[in-house]
Amino acid sequence: FNGKIFKSNIAVNTAINKSQLEGRPIFQYSPSSTGSLNYQALAVEVMERLQQKVKKRPTAKYQRLAKSA
């Protein structure tokens, strides 16, 4: 699974369970909890990976030029 699994871990956390029971996002319920910080780290990792994929793709303009050549 090289490169397909994220490195971030979401720890079991009572704040996550309580936020679910209250129907509130963990970021509102307890923004400084371990669970909130874990999800923030995962979000950063997802965004970084998406940015890497976008940088690797040729632009639409480049693709059109390559097809017409």
Side-chain angles (χ1 to χ4, degrees):
F1 300 108
N2 188 22
K4 296 187 179 190
I5 297 176
F6 293 103
K7 294 177 181 169
S8 300
N9 292 312
I10 309 299
V12 176
N13 182 282
T14 57
I16 293 173
N17 294 335
K18 290 178 181 179
S19 74
Q20 289 174 343
L21 288 172
E22 287 197 16
R24 294 173 50 200
I26 186 65
F27 305 112
Q28 280 182 351
Y29 180 80
S30 183
S32 61
S33 69
T34 303
S36 178
L37 297 175
N38 291 162
Y39 275 109
Q40 288 176 30
L42 177 61
V44 168
E45 192 175 348
V46 168
M47 293 301 295
E48 288 172 350
R49 195 171 293 182
L50 289 173
Q51 287 173 350
Q52 289 172 358
K53 284 187 175 191
V54 168
K55 287 180 184 178
K56 290 181 182 179
R57 279 191 190 161
T59 64
K61 182 178 178 181
Y62 174 77
Q63 289 173 343
R64 284 193 304 271
L65 291 173
K67 285 181 183 179
S68 65

